[in-house]
Amino acid sequence: MTSQFTARCRQHSRSVEPLDCARCSVRDLAVCAALPPPAADALERHVTSLELQANAELARAGQPCRHAYSVTSGMLRLVRTLADARRQVVAFVLPGHFVGLSEHAVHRHGVEAVVPSRVCAFEIDGIRDLRERFPAFEHTLLDRACRELDDAHDAMLLLARLSPPERLASFLVRLRRQMSIPAHDPRMALPMGRGDIADHLGLTVETVSRSFTRLREQGVIALPDPHHVEILDPAALHELASALH
Amino acid sequence: MTSQFTARCRQHSRSVEPLDCARCSVRDLAVCAALPPPAADALERHVTSLELQANAELARAGQPCRHAYSVTSGMLRLVRTLADARRQVVAFVLPGHFVGLSEHAVHRHGVEAVVPSRVCAFEIDGIRDLRERFPAFEHTLLDRACRELDDAHDAMLLLARLSPPERLASFLVRLRRQMSIPAHDPRMALPMGRGDIADHLGLTVETVSRSFTRLREQGVIALPDPHHVEILDPAALHELASALH
DNA sequence: CGAAGTCTTGAAAAATTTCAATTCCGGTGG
DNA sequence: CCACCGGAATTGAAATTTTTCAAGACTTCG
């Protein structure tokens, strides 16, 4: 099953063998944890590990869905693009999370690496099979789908009704939580560029930049460089983001 | 189990007995269809039919989730409201659709009737029990959750990147599909008011109204009255809505 | 038939985007 | 090791869009 990856992403990804799920860094987080040992073995037979360069395309909107992916390191983005290049980053996907549980025949969004990343690719047929044989697996998937649905509803409220600084504050708070950054650590990395943030928050890069600047001027955050934020006033940040948390 | 409804919504809803699921008008659409006969019987024992007045509150954000609902007639809205009254209608729920599959302990949004409606209320515990006993049921729920997730992603793109007339056109196209209006029938009813549309599309009522007027002036639609639209130029409407369809 | 609420329309105000220019940063090669 | 190049980020000013504020028309329903 490796060949079609190397064919599609020849310059961007390579498959990495052998695979040792028992040592997987995200095993407890990932869907794999929901499976009893025999099922996990079955799963392993259907999995390929992939290494992705920054901006590598794992899938393109419109393509048939052949695999589901579990991220083990780095960060992915799910992207929808209109004919006139308007773009929306539907979600950023962090290690331990899963892409492609939908039963759609074709991808509804592109899947791209934000930074160099590693993912486990599962054959859809294998997943379907496991779903039928192990109710606990399906249960876990439903649970995750509901969580994602809640996230999407949060995102809708953010896009529909929050001001740019509120959107940015909410985004930072959510990202910190997704990355499991402890509250006492003020530092955080922003792996994605301003363009991705803008397309995630429904703004322009300029407005995102100005919102960063505003938060900095108000003493809420510091920006050592464009890819690092320091939370100086957590209370103020949460106040701004309060709508969604 | 009827008492807590009549207690909560005394002036707004009343429970209607007896219940005859075999004659349910949305049986084929509803989740109930996913259950084998013995399970359907089990389900019936946990269900109450409710009649709701327009604007009746079926659930309020923050309340514990005790029931899931299947709409049999009318229309519901899922609403999130911020402390300062900013509001977002996350979704309109039509007959055959299901509310409350999430396993959250508390409601994340209010559930309200847009127009006089009828719903079947299921006890959460009963649902959980059926999920465990009938994998097909869980499978159906997951399927629906994925569909809703796709819808939510569509909504995110709409809110993030479409112009007001594009949002309105997309909304009309989607609503026609949800209501199963055949393509050759130009007429459609808009049960909800402008405020609900505005809060669904992330706009103000004024902007919604101006967008309707714009579509009318361009000959795309006619507006016999505020609650009825006639599609005069389907091609133009779909062109505007093309981003999402 | 009348009152209340809803919808539409207009004009002013505010916010965001667009366009343009400058600065900054990381990577590359001398 | 440092200077330079190119993409990314920031900043400013003008233009556009949407909201806000205000008033009037229209339904809808009692």
Side-chain angles (χ1 to χ4, degrees):
Chain A
M1 76 169 262
T2 297
S3 57
Q4 67 258 38
F5 285 114
T6 49
R8 188 193 315 138
C9 315
R10 199 172 294 112
Q11 302 94 357
H12 303 300
S13 74
R14 64 191 185 84
S15 115
V16 179
E17 305 285 0
L19 208 57
D20 185 357
C21 291
R23 294 212 188 118
C24 177
S25 54
V26 296
R27 184 154 213 190
D28 295 334
L29 286 170
V31 286
C32 317
L35 291 165
D41 291 346
L43 188 63
E44 277 189 52
R45 283 197 296 278
H46 294 285
V47 69
T48 307
S49 178
L50 295 176
E51 211 170 68
L52 303 168
Q53 292 182 3
N55 298 310
E57 258 188 310
L58 197 53
R60 189 170 293 189
Q63 281 180 342
C65 296
R66 276 196 264 273
H67 303 87
Y69 307 98
S70 179
V71 181
T72 56
S73 77
M75 180 186 271
L76 306 184
R77 59 178 174 249
L78 307 185
V79 184
R80 293 196 55 175
T81 308
L82 302 184
D84 57 4
R86 283 180 286 183
R87 208 174 78 118
Q88 151 83 185
V89 175
V90 166
F92 293 105
V93 187
L94 275 81
H97 283 259
F98 195 70
V99 176
L101 52 77
S102 163
E103 286 199 326
H104 262 283
V106 298
H107 285 286
R108 296 182 52 91
H109 35 61
V111 182
E112 302 163 8
V114 174
V115 291
S117 305
R118 193 170 292 211
V119 304
C120 289
F122 307 94
E123 286 177 36
I124 284 282
D125 296 335
I127 296 281
R128 200 173 353 250
D129 184 55
L130 288 174
R131 279 173 59 171
E132 279 164 23
R133 291 204 323 234
F134 301 96
F137 186 52
E138 188 129 79
H139 186 87
T140 300
L141 292 183
L142 177 52
D143 204 52
R144 285 185 178 243
C146 288
R147 236 182 278 278
E148 281 186 40
L149 192 56
D150 286 336
D151 287 346
H153 287 170
D154 283 348
M156 285 173 64
L157 179 58
L158 176 146
L159 292 168
R161 294 301 183 205
L162 300 197
S163 71
E166 286 174 327
R167 294 185 201 193
L168 185 55
S170 296
F171 169 69
L172 292 176
V173 169
R174 180 158 47 86
L175 194 60
R176 284 177 66 84
R177 200 174 39 209
Q178 284 180 351
M179 291 175 149
S180 310
I181 300 175
H184 59 78
D185 184 353
R187 289 186 56 84
M188 65 186 290
L190 292 179
M192 72 294 287
R194 295 293 187 264
D196 280 344
I197 297 175
D199 287 335
H200 184 54
L201 302 181
L203 303 168
T204 60
V205 277
E206 292 93 333
T207 301
V208 170
S209 184
R210 282 186 245 271
S211 300
F212 270 116
T213 302
R214 176 116 63 108
L215 292 187
R216 179 170 52 70
E217 287 171 349
Q218 294 176 341
V220 179
I221 62 172
L223 288 165
D225 71 85
H227 287 284
H228 292 275
V229 181
E230 207 169 322
I231 311 299
L232 301 180
D233 186 343
L237 190 75
H238 282 85
E239 170 72 15
L240 263 172
S242 65
L244 286 185
H245 302 282
Chain B
M1 75 170 263
T2 296
S3 59
Q4 67 259 36
F5 285 114
T6 49
R8 191 194 311 138
C9 314
R10 200 172 295 112
Q11 304 92 1
H12 304 302
S13 74
R14 64 190 184 84
S15 116
V16 178
E17 305 286 359
L19 209 57
D20 185 357
C21 289
R23 295 213 187 116
C24 177
S25 55
V26 296
R27 183 154 213 188
D28 296 335
L29 286 169
V31 286
C32 315
L35 292 165
D41 291 346
L43 189 62
E44 278 189 50
R45 283 197 296 278
H46 294 288
V47 69
T48 305
S49 178
L50 295 176
E51 210 171 69
L52 303 168
Q53 293 183 1
N55 298 309
E57 260 187 309
L58 198 52
R60 189 171 291 190
Q63 280 180 342
C65 295
R66 275 196 264 273
H67 303 87
Y69 307 98
S70 179
V71 182
T72 57
S73 78
M75 180 185 270
L76 307 184
R77 59 178 175 250
L78 306 185
V79 184
R80 292 196 55 173
T81 308
L82 301 183
D84 57 5
R86 283 180 287 186
R87 208 174 79 119
Q88 152 82 185
V89 174
V90 165
F92 293 106
V93 188
L94 275 80
H97 283 258
F98 195 71
V99 176
L101 52 75
S102 162
E103 287 200 323
H104 263 285
V106 298
H107 286 285
R108 295 180 54 88
H109 34 62
V111 182
E112 301 162 8
V114 174
V115 290
S117 305
R118 193 172 292 210
V119 303
C120 290
F122 307 94
E123 286 177 34
I124 285 281
D125 295 336
I127 295 280
R128 197 172 358 250
D129 183 55
L130 288 174
R131 282 174 56 169
E132 278 165 23
R133 291 207 321 235
F134 301 96
F137 185 53
E138 188 129 81
H139 186 85
T140 300
L141 292 183
L142 177 51
D143 204 52
R144 286 184 177 243
C146 289
R147 235 182 277 278
E148 280 186 41
L149 191 55
D150 286 337
D151 287 347
H153 288 169
D154 283 349
M156 284 172 65
L157 179 58
L158 175 146
L159 292 168
R161 292 303 182 203
L162 300 197
S163 71
E166 287 174 327
R167 293 184 202 194
L168 185 55
S170 297
F171 169 68
L172 292 176
V173 169
R174 180 157 47 86
L175 194 60
R176 283 178 66 82
R177 200 173 40 209
Q178 284 180 351
M179 291 176 151
S180 311
I181 299 176
H184 60 78
D185 183 355
R187 289 185 56 83
M188 65 185 291
L190 292 179
M192 71 293 285
R194 297 291 187 266
D196 280 344
I197 298 176
D199 287 336
H200 184 53
L201 301 181
L203 302 169
T204 59
V205 278
E206 293 92 335
T207 301
V208 170
S209 184
R210 284 186 244 271
S211 300
F212 270 115
T213 302
R214 176 115 63 110
L215 293 187
R216 179 170 53 71
E217 286 170 351
Q218 294 175 343
V220 180
I221 62 172
L223 288 166
D225 71 85
H227 287 285
H228 291 276
V229 181
E230 208 170 320
I231 311 299
L232 300 180
D233 188 342
L237 190 75
H238 282 86
E239 170 71 15
L240 263 173
S242 66
L244 286 185
H245 301 283

